[in-house]
Amino acid sequence: MKVLVPVKRVVDYNVKIRVKADGTGVDLANVKMSMNPFDEIAVEEAVRLKEAGKANEVVAVSIGPAQAQETLRTALAMGADRAILITVDGPIEPLSVAKLLKGVVADENPNLVILGKQAIDDDANQTGQMLSALLGWSQATFASELDLGDTTAKVTREVDGGLQAIEVTLPAIVTADLRLNEPRYASLPNIMKAKKKPLETRTPDDFGVTVSPRLRVIRVEEPAGRTAGIKVAGVTDLIEKLKAEAGVI
Amino acid sequence: MAILLFAEHDNQSLSDQTAKALSAASLIGGDIDILIAGKNAGSVADAAAKLSGVRNVILAEGDTLEHRLAEPTAALIVNLSGDYDTILAPATTTGKNVLPRVAALLDVMQVSDVIEVVSPDTFKRPIYAGNAIETVQTTDATRILTIRTTSFAAATGDNAPAPIKTIDAGSDGTGLSTFLENILSKNDRPELGSAKIIVSGGRALGSAERFQEVMTPVADKLGAAIGASRAAVDAGYASNDLQVGQTGKVVAPDLYIACGISGAIQHLAGMKDSKIIVAINTDEDAPIFQVADYGIVGDLFDILPELERQL
Ligand SMILES: Cc1cc2nc3c(=O)[nH]c(=O)nc-3n(C[C@H](O)[C@H](O)[C@H](O)COP(=O)(O)OP(=O)(O)OC[C@H]3O[C@@H](n4cnc5c(N)ncnc54)[C@H](O)[C@@H]3O)c2cc1C
């Protein structure tokens, strides 16, 4: 079985981003970029499926600027077999990404696509669900456990009230939540090996998809800030403040 | 044209997140219908009918809708979509699961996690874990939105009831996935989303037993909900539904007490709109103190029992 794993290049999760003074966006110049953490989990899951003999090929795909090649090399170093980059400059919306991925699915015929549940830059949480809809496939979002069979998969999902187990018919879309696994660090030999693995470059035109945005970004601004309050000496002091000053207990 | 609100419920009671999303819908303006998709969910429909400003409640019941699996539920909404120019839902795990599927089927780009309605087609939403707020205008004919409910007050629920219309559940989208079981956390505490006070624990708690031992008495005294950081959930000290943050629950109680939580941006994203924040941490430089109204530098294993005694 072939597994497709889309990965996104995003601002590293440790970076405290800054909003541009002119309100046009977030300042990405000289900022550390990494693979979206949820996508790392997705890659890890796919590679584990291969190691367990349940998948025979893992294909990583990224949609983004030329530098997203680095992100794909990371996926290859983690154990993906080959990679596809669809080059797009500038921001791209989940709906367009889903349309491009649908094209990749048509070429590659995977039986399973594992995506991160959300990207930590736009925090949209849409791409997996949209791809599933466009393909008419089953979907299992926010997965914390994946038990893959030949024709179905049992997926445990993280939901507001706890956990939910569902069974999806293959082919299926799964989106990874935080606790699906702990991604490995690629070893140095594997990083070296990854440099020789195939990486193919495509464009949106190859798939006949226009990527013009549907949402017009009017402004990006800083959130209302919070200022640090005071340190109190102890519990008595705290209770007194919460009662008299804040009036919350 | 009109607005369709996809309701959050458990077939027995209507979640107050629906009433909050309804307030967002009212700000957009237009006739508002509420869709209840479920099974034996008549009491939910009755409750929805009494919310203020509702034109009709649409009730669709069937086995395939009992757990609101994404495929049949999205198909149902798509079948209704012709009558609406706005379709929205609270940004719960159900709303997040279903609405993007609807959006793609209608060739619409969804606006996720709306925190402010600027005009009927323009909305504010957080990006980068809430470290930036983006104002976006949709250009699609249909607008599809999920609503971050902490940003809206609940609509009142004791009005003269709106009519309830029953529709067929339909069979589109069925057979792709099957519900197996819910493993829901059971407790009689207030829900994280609606609690006035939240006591939240981090990695410092050290074990599930100690998490229980130290956090529960304080929460009981305060009538509070219990929350947790990702580190505490990953380590198994608390269940996944208690995780507060960018990728967990977003909360805004009157009082949030962060115990042994460092204050990573991903955690702050879920709680920094709380009215009053208290931080208890041994490290006086912990980032959590930068957002805390009141901080105590000290060991939570001393401070929490003391707090419980003095309350
Ligand atoms: C993609 C992604 C998504 C994430 N989503 C979330 C999310 O939704 N929610 C979330 O919380 N995190 C999330 N995180 C994780 C986040 O980055 C932090 O790792 C996490 O919040 C840390 O949890 P913590 O504060 O409990 O642990 P730590 O950072 O280890 O902090 C423990 C704190 O306890 C203090 N301490 C130790 N002993 C004591 C004591 N005896 N008494 C008092 N204080 C003590 C320490 O000084 C320290 O400040 C996410 C990370 C990623 C990459």
Side-chain angles (χ1 to χ4, degrees):
Chain A
M1 164 173 334
K2 191 193 278 189
V3 183
L4 187 73
V5 191
V7 296
K8 185 178 186 182
R9 178 179 185 264
V10 298
V11 170
D12 186 83
Y13 80 98
N14 272 314
V15 171
K16 173 103 175 65
I17 56 101
R18 283 212 326 272
V19 172
K20 285 189 199 159
D22 63 2
T24 56
V26 165
D27 194 355
L28 295 182
N30 305 315
V31 168
K32 183 179 179 207
M33 305 293 282
S34 301
M35 188 191 298
N36 178 41
F38 287 100
D39 303 346
E40 273 184 357
I41 297 171
V43 174
E44 176 67 33
E45 195 66 16
V47 171
R48 286 188 193 186
L49 288 173
K50 190 178 170 195
E51 288 167 348
K54 293 186 172 180
N56 50 30
E57 189 179 27
V58 176
V59 181
V61 51
S62 191
I63 295 155
Q67 298 94 312
Q69 285 193 25
E70 295 159 23
T71 315
L72 287 169
R73 292 287 172 205
T74 305
L76 294 170
M78 288 174 73
D81 297 294
R82 58 189 175 84
I84 303 165
L85 171 65
I86 305 174
T87 21
V88 174
D89 286 313
I92 177 164
E93 293 174 345
L95 183 63
S96 305
V97 172
K99 288 177 180 174
L100 289 168
L101 290 175
K102 183 186 175 194
V104 176
V105 167
D107 289 352
E108 295 284 339
N109 277 308
N111 230 1
L112 182 67
V113 183
I114 313 179
L115 307 88
K117 79 160 176 178
Q118 79 190 63
I120 60 164
D121 50 2
D122 62 20
D123 280 332
N125 193 336
Q126 299 176 6
T127 305
Q129 297 88 314
M130 287 183 155
L131 175 61
S132 177
L134 296 179
L135 292 167
W137 287 10
S138 53
Q139 81 183 41
T141 52
F142 325 143
S144 63
E145 220 182 305
L146 169 63
D147 181 3
L148 184 65
D150 290 335
T151 56
T152 59
K154 187 185 159 196
V155 179
T156 306
R157 309 176 54 232
E158 293 205 2
V159 294
D160 285 340
L163 298 170
Q164 180 185 69
I166 63 171
E167 186 173 79
V168 292
T169 310
L170 299 179
I173 302 289
V174 171
T175 77
D177 214 320
L178 289 172
R179 281 165 281 276
L180 184 57
N181 60 52
E182 252 185 73
R184 70 193 66 192
Y185 290 101
S187 65
L188 197 57
N190 284 341
I191 293 172
M192 300 311 289
K193 255 197 259 165
K195 292 187 175 155
K196 296 202 191 78
K197 289 185 180 176
L199 192 159
E200 173 193 356
T201 305
R202 313 283 302 266
T203 68
D205 283 346
D206 297 342
F207 301 95
V209 173
T210 44
V211 297
S212 48
R214 304 288 186 83
L215 301 182
R216 221 158 60 78
V217 177
I218 294 178
R219 188 160 15 113
V220 176
E221 61 200 319
E222 298 262 359
R226 261 193 110 97
T227 42
I230 54 164
K231 300 252 168 65
V232 295
V235 169
T236 316
D237 206 9
L238 176 68
I239 293 179
E240 150 75 23
K241 290 259 182 343
L242 291 178
K243 281 188 172 149
E245 211 172 84
V248 289
I249 58 171
Chain B
M1 281 282 265
I3 299 175
L4 183 67
L5 167 55
F6 171 52
E8 177 73 24
H9 64 89
D10 62 1
N11 293 319
Q12 278 150 32
S13 51
L14 183 69
S15 160
D16 78 335
Q17 305 224 48
T18 305
K20 291 174 179 173
L22 176 59
S23 296
S26 304
L27 291 168
I28 294 167
D31 292 326
I32 303 167
D33 292 348
I34 297 188
L35 171 64
I36 312 287
K39 189 184 173 190
N40 300 328
S43 57
V44 178
D46 290 339
K50 290 190 199 138
L51 291 173
S52 68
V54 176
R55 178 179 66 177
N56 289 312
V57 170
I58 300 171
L59 177 62
E61 293 182 292
D63 289 340
T64 59
L65 297 175
E66 181 173 8
H67 303 285
R68 286 160 294 288
L69 291 172
E71 305 87 345
T73 310
L76 173 75
I77 298 174
V78 168
N79 287 338
L80 293 170
S81 65
D83 294 334
Y84 302 94
D85 57 7
T86 303
I87 299 170
L88 51 79
T92 56
T93 44
T94 305
K96 292 177 190 170
N97 190 33
V98 173
L99 250 58
R101 193 170 177 103
V102 174
L105 292 171
L106 297 176
D107 194 28
V108 169
M109 177 55 208
Q110 169 178 304
V111 183
S112 297
D113 276 314
V114 169
I115 57 168
E116 191 181 321
V117 175
V118 178
S119 76
D121 66 0
T122 306
F123 310 93
K124 290 193 182 184
R125 60 177 301 266
I127 51 174
Y128 291 92
N131 288 303
I133 307 295
E134 130 185 295
T135 305
V136 290
Q137 182 176 35
T138 65
T139 59
D140 287 310
T142 306
R143 299 182 275 263
I144 299 190
L145 322 167
T146 62
I147 306 297
R148 180 168 285 194
T149 50
T150 48
S151 299
F152 299 89
T156 59
D158 48 8
N159 303 272
I164 298 173
K165 296 185 173 171
T166 305
I167 60 164
D168 198 71
S171 60
D172 294 349
T174 56
L176 287 168
S177 50
T178 321
F179 170 82
L180 298 177
E181 62 171 330
N182 277 330
I183 309 130
L184 302 182
S185 312
K186 285 205 180 54
N187 60 46
D188 22 309
R189 299 191 170 282
E191 250 187 88
L192 265 181
S194 47
K196 293 251 179 294
I197 303 179
I198 295 172
V199 187
S200 202
R203 194 196 305 271
L205 270 303
S207 73
E209 295 71 37
R210 289 204 282 177
F211 194 98
Q212 274 296 324
E213 244 170 64
V214 182
M215 302 286 292
T216 315
V218 180
D220 284 345
K221 269 275 171 72
L222 289 167
I226 290 183
S229 72
R230 174 196 175 179
V233 176
D234 282 2
Y237 310 162
S239 61
N240 67 281
D241 50 297
L242 300 188
Q243 181 180 312
V244 170
Q246 178 185 16
T247 60
K249 294 218 168 87
V250 177
V251 298
D254 290 345
L255 174 60
Y256 188 91
I257 307 181
C259 313
I261 292 177
S262 60
I265 47 177
Q266 292 85 7
H267 188 78
L268 301 185
M271 44 65 80
K272 69 179 158 63
D273 292 331
S274 304
K275 193 169 147 214
I276 298 289
I277 296 172
V278 170
I280 301 169
N281 200 302
T282 42
D283 173 9
E284 64 174 331
D285 295 324
I288 189 76
F289 287 122
Q290 289 162 23
V291 299
D293 300 279
Y294 305 108
I296 302 187
V297 179
D299 190 331
L300 69 90
F301 293 105
D302 299 332
I303 292 164
L304 287 180
E306 181 62 26
L307 183 61
E308 194 258 330
R309 268 193 299 279
Q310 289 199 29
L311 277 167

